[in-house]
Amino acid sequence: MLIIRDPAAPMGHRVEGPLRRADVTRVEILQSREEVRAEQRAQRFGKLVFTWEPKTRDDNRAQLEGIARAIADIPRDGDFHRRLELEAQFAHLAGRIALGQAKRAWVLAEAAWYRAHNSPPSMADLWGSDLASPSCFRRPREEDFDPDPAVRNRPVPVPTWVLQDPRSIRNMLAALQEAGLSARIHRLGDLPHEHGGILVKMPVSGRAQFALIGRRNGAGVMDWTHAWDVLDTPTGARRLGAVRRCAAYHRMLKVLQVGRVALQLDFATMLERL
């Protein structure tokens, strides 16, 4: 079979054949595979915002932020095809350093913010809330722009106070799970260790869950609140009554008060051994 480029065809190509071997008298290579890909890439990217190759983390960040600003400069009713070209350039560079979708969203939102503001934005400025799902929206670290994957994938050190505080978000989640509750991180703030939410599902038929919100106050103490995360309807009210009678609810309240007790004991034992 022979695939022929034809702008007049429905999909831009038409097919001839099948061809018999005896019908082919000569084959000439007009473009190599690499040349074809380079041509397709040029068509997809359009005019490049940056023509130089990034080599450092600063280069990667500067180019991603520059392309994001170019995207933000296109009005909503502007050149749709140019927007697609710029988005392809952004996605290509972000893909080279394996920048996650949530962090790409931050870079793009931040570029739009700076079109009308001079001060650095908060998460609430960009997302509309102090808390966001980490899989949807998250500030990138400097290491995330590094060309070396070993640097990008290096574990982030956890602050000492997070490990030692029995009511930190990390330890509160562990305590809830150790108490036999179905709990998971629901939302995190721009400082993920200092502000976040945990979703706790109750063992009752239907939607029955609580949103636990923790925030570190000025004194360095984690304050926790909990709210019934179900619509205010007669059905929801009946379900809440059933939840308040179950043991899981009372275990959750106890954990909220003391946090991860096992950690306190382990930490005290560790100090005694020093």
Side-chain angles (χ1 to χ4, degrees):
M1 308 295 289
L2 182 64
I3 301 175
I4 303 174
R5 295 181 183 177
D6 184 357
M11 300 296 291
H13 297 83
R14 57 186 175 86
V15 179
E16 297 288 346
L19 302 177
R20 295 178 301 173
R21 186 179 297 273
D23 294 335
V24 180
T25 59
R26 185 169 63 92
V27 175
E28 179 182 355
I29 297 177
L30 302 179
Q31 283 183 306
S32 66
R33 180 182 183 183
E34 290 73 19
E35 290 171 335
V36 171
R37 288 186 170 182
E39 180 181 292
Q40 292 174 341
R41 175 182 170 184
Q43 292 174 348
R44 187 170 75 256
F45 291 171
K47 183 179 179 181
L48 297 177
V49 177
F50 296 96
T51 57
W52 50 277
E53 193 73 11
K55 296 182 179 180
T56 66
R57 67 171 64 173
D58 291 337
D59 292 344
N60 286 323
R61 179 158 204 158
Q63 288 204 8
L64 280 171
E65 290 178 346
I67 298 170
R69 287 194 297 271
I71 295 172
D73 287 340
I74 298 178
R76 290 184 177 274
D77 57 349
D79 189 340
F80 175 72
H81 293 289
R82 181 54 180 164
R83 175 181 288 275
L84 291 179
E85 292 173 348
L86 292 172
E87 289 175 348
Q89 292 182 40
F90 183 89
H92 174 73
L93 179 55
R96 285 179 55 179
I97 59 173
L99 189 66
Q101 293 297 329
K103 296 176 180 180
R104 297 185 194 190
W106 181 286
V107 175
L108 291 169
E110 190 175 46
W113 167 267
Y114 278 126
R115 293 190 72 249
H117 305 83
N118 293 322
S119 59
S122 65
M123 177 176 282
D125 293 326
L126 302 181
W127 187 251
S129 172
D130 289 335
L131 297 175
S133 169
S135 63
C136 294
F137 199 70
R138 190 171 186 180
R139 181 193 292 270
R141 306 169 300 139
E142 289 298 326
E143 294 83 355
D144 292 325
F145 299 97
D146 201 284
D148 185 354
V151 175
R152 295 197 305 266
N153 297 329
R154 189 174 297 156
V156 180
V158 179
T160 303
W161 74 265
V162 174
L163 300 174
Q164 298 175 358
D165 185 352
R167 301 179 78 240
S168 67
I169 297 173
R170 177 191 182 106
N171 287 329
M172 186 64 75
L173 176 64
L176 291 165
Q177 293 174 341
E178 289 167 0
L181 298 169
S182 174
R184 64 178 177 84
I185 295 294
H186 182 49
R187 298 283 188 267
L188 288 176
D190 188 18
L191 295 175
H193 294 298
E194 300 196 359
H195 190 196
I198 300 175
L199 203 64
V200 181
K201 294 186 177 181
M202 292 287 109
V204 173
S205 178
R207 181 184 174 95
Q209 59 191 24
F210 286 92
L212 280 52
I213 305 298
R215 183 191 288 271
R216 197 178 188 212
N217 60 29
V221 177
M222 288 294 297
D223 293 325
W224 285 91
T225 60
H226 68 283
W228 178 238
D229 190 33
V230 176
L231 292 176
D232 186 14
T233 62
T235 300
R238 288 194 299 271
R239 204 168 290 158
L240 177 58
V243 164
R244 286 174 171 166
R245 292 189 296 271
C246 71
Y249 172 71
H250 296 283
R251 289 202 305 272
M252 181 191 76
L253 295 181
K254 183 177 180 180
V255 170
L256 274 175
Q257 292 177 351
V258 299
R260 197 178 187 189
V261 179
L263 176 76
Q264 293 174 299
L265 297 175
D266 292 343
F267 185 62
T269 303
M270 182 180 69
L271 287 179
E272 291 174 357
R273 293 177 180 176
L274 294 177

